[in-house]
Amino acid sequence: MRQEIIYKSTELFLNLGFKSVTMDDIASEMGISKKTIYVHFPNKTKLVEGTTMHLFELISHGIDCICQLNKNPIEELFDIKRFVMEHLKDEKSSPQFQLKKYYPKIYATLKQKQFEVMHECVNENLKRGIDQKLYRTTINVEFITRIYFNSMLAIKDTDLFPLKIFSMNMLLENYLEYHLRGICTNKGVEILNQFITKNQS
């Protein structure tokens, strides 16, 4: 039952936001009593923490699997973006920004975990891209890794990028292109253009 509660809560939180979904909403959606939820999660904060860490583990595992395929580094980034979007349901409620606002301790823990996973993944991606002559040899790998992570967090700020104007998919698509055009060699740009054309068709 614990896992079922996590699955349903994750779906509701992603679609409607951490703030607006109540324990009553979750119980009603699942056709169970609120007491049943409290058996597994003593309060909403614990439930938010449980769903957040579940989603993090799920996405981290998926990203690890994609990275292990050793694909072309540019293709790898597009695959990761696609995978993340599938699991975050286009972030209609901007969950990460809500988490920062209403559950700062959970957000801080999640941010640290995300940084550890992303740091390794992006670092390896950049090094392989340089080796394959797709990325410029002059880039500072550690700097790009950190600015990439920070920018990924920044585009989820709904004050800066209101969801009415920017969908999360559009933001990620545009940022990925922006990132790659800044580090690609001519050979890399050719491959990037192929992916952009393919995605648009």
Side-chain angles (χ1 to χ4, degrees), residues 123-181:
N123 222 278
E124 283 302 309
N125 181 280
L126 290 168
K127 287 172 184 171
R128 282 193 301 111
I130 292 168
D131 289 343
Q132 294 175 29
K133 298 182 169 47
L134 299 176
Y135 302 157
R136 291 182 287 108
T137 55
T138 52
I139 63 172
N140 182 319
V141 170
E142 191 57 35
F143 171 75
I144 300 290
T145 299
R146 289 168 186 266
I147 204 80
Y148 184 83
F149 176 74
N150 205 47
S151 299
M152 278 294 188
L153 291 180
I155 62 173
K156 292 176 180 178
D157 182 336
T158 51
D159 288 339
L160 270 177
F161 301 102
L163 289 169
K164 287 179 182 175
I165 304 172
F166 306 96
S167 74
M168 190 49 63
N169 190 53
M170 181 260 218
L171 285 170
L172 283 174
E173 199 79 44
N174 278 270
Y175 178 66
L176 195 51
E177 181 180 350
Y178 177 82
H179 163 71
L180 287 167
R181 288 201 184 280

Side-chain angles (χ1 to χ4, degrees), residues 64-160:
D64 284 345
C65 290
I66 292 169
C67 291
Q68 283 166 15
L69 295 173
N70 270 331
K71 288 187 171 186
N72 165 310
I74 294 171
E75 184 181 0
E76 180 179 274
L77 288 180
F78 276 93
D79 282 356
I80 289 171
K81 184 227 129 188
R82 200 175 302 114
F83 173 79
V84 170
M85 287 312 304
E86 281 169 10
H87 284 81
L88 293 183
K89 304 181 190 302
D90 202 19
E91 296 199 2
K92 295 179 183 68
S93 62
S94 187
Q96 191 143 322
F97 197 57
Q98 282 203 6
L99 202 64
K100 183 180 181 181
K101 191 171 181 181
Y102 301 111
Y103 299 93
K105 282 186 180 176
I106 298 172
Y107 173 80
T109 303
L110 178 67
K111 184 181 172 186
Q112 184 56 40
K113 284 175 173 286
Q114 284 175 328
F115 176 72
E116 287 162 12
V117 169
M118 204 182 238
H119 184 275
E120 186 180 349
C121 175
V122 175
N123 222 278
E124 283 302 309
N125 181 280
L126 290 168
K127 287 172 184 171
R128 282 193 301 111
I130 292 168
D131 289 343
Q132 294 175 29
K133 298 182 169 47
L134 299 176
Y135 302 157
R136 291 182 287 108
T137 55
T138 52
I139 63 172
N140 182 319
V141 170
E142 191 57 35
F143 171 75
I144 300 290
T145 299
R146 289 168 186 266
I147 204 80
Y148 184 83
F149 176 74
N150 205 47
S151 299
M152 278 294 188
L153 291 180
I155 62 173
K156 292 176 180 178
D157 182 336
T158 51
D159 288 339
L160 270 177

